[in-house]
Amino acid sequence: MLHRVPQPIQVLLEVGRRRVFASALDWPGWCRSAKTDEAALDALAEYAPRYAPVAATARVRFPSPSRLPGFDVVERVAGDATTDFGAPGKAGAADAAPLTATHARRLSRLVAAAWEVFDEVAAGAPAALRKGPRGGGRDRDKMVEHVLGAEVAYARKIGIRMRQPAIDDHDGVASLRSAIVDTIAAARSGTPAAEKGWAPRYAARRIAWHVLDHAWEIEDRSVAST
């Protein structure tokens, strides 16, 4: 019997002057940064166990975190001030590729799963988060509000204009997220749908990155102050 050899995970490196982001192109939100290319790839591998629940929630098969097939850096893009500030701010040529219906639905499911993981983490976190250098001083509810505000801004990048709902307006939050997910799922072209907007592939990974980065921050800071 022939066994299919697992393919390396395709990665885009966004290289700034002081920071490098490594983004797994087929796994929205699995994106980490460090000072060098090698360190960013190491950080990406280190976070595989934390990303695995996102894939499981989306019901998308994910490589075993203990047996990753390796990374294939398929593209390097020059970063900018946003990169060095701490966010992946540049799209690559791979982000302009058209989407099949299957791939678009897969990306949308992973974005939706990132929100599910974030909501679960936030629901189980204390209201007051441990203070520290990572993430500044936002407590849980301020963090949730920040993520929601970002989603409203990001939605405009794919042609969706909606008011920011309150964090306890569950119907409003659900409507916003559904609009984003439906737009990504329906995307076929690799070009932005809005002027100065984002290509669907880039939108999916940028949105999911922001959600998961803060979910993991909440987890890391969910230690009661003494």
Side-chain angles (χ1 to χ4, degrees):
M1 176 183 291
L2 294 176
H3 296 280
R4 189 169 66 177
V5 177
Q7 296 298 308
I9 296 160
Q10 293 191 334
V11 172
L12 177 144
L13 291 182
E14 179 180 330
V15 184
R17 295 179 63 185
R18 297 185 300 275
R19 189 188 295 261
V20 178
F21 276 90
S23 298
L25 287 171
D26 291 326
W27 300 99
W30 190 18
C31 173
R32 303 314 297 161
S33 69
K35 292 183 178 180
T36 67
D37 297 11
E38 294 77 11
L41 291 170
D42 287 345
L44 194 65
E46 181 182 344
Y47 269 68
R50 300 183 82 167
Y51 189 84
V54 180
T57 299
R59 297 185 179 180
V60 177
R61 181 178 294 181
F62 187 69
S64 169
S66 62
R67 296 192 301 276
L68 291 178
F71 297 124
D72 179 15
V73 177
V74 297
E75 190 172 357
R76 290 169 60 91
V77 297
D80 57 14
T82 299
T83 314
D84 288 327
F85 176 76
K90 290 291 186 179
D95 293 309
L99 287 158
T100 65
T102 298
H103 198 166
R105 287 195 298 268
R106 180 181 179 279
L107 293 180
S108 70
R109 285 163 57 193
L110 288 164
V111 172
W115 282 319
E116 288 190 50
V117 169
F118 178 85
D119 290 345
E120 183 176 351
V121 169
L129 300 177
R130 177 176 54 83
K131 306 304 182 216
R134 190 180 190 281
R138 288 191 190 101
D139 284 325
R140 182 198 61 203
D141 290 352
K142 289 294 186 182
M143 191 85 71
V144 172
E145 187 174 29
H146 165 72
V147 169
L148 185 56
E151 287 165 12
V152 172
Y154 294 165
R156 296 191 186 104
K157 295 291 189 177
I158 55 174
I160 299 167
R161 292 189 173 274
M162 296 179 69
R163 292 180 180 273
Q164 180 175 337
I167 63 174
D168 58 353
D169 178 3
H170 301 299
D171 290 341
V173 173
S175 294
L176 172 64
R177 291 176 173 177
S178 291
I180 294 172
V181 165
D182 291 347
T183 297
I184 293 172
R188 297 296 178 268
S189 170
T191 58
E195 185 179 357
K196 297 183 180 179
W198 290 345
R201 290 175 185 265
Y202 174 76
R205 63 186 178 87
R206 176 63 182 269
I207 291 168
W209 164 78
H210 190 252
V211 171
L212 292 176
D213 191 58
H214 285 300
W216 295 331
E217 178 186 346
I218 291 172
E219 286 182 332
D220 292 344
R221 295 176 57 214
S222 289
V223 178
S225 301
T226 58

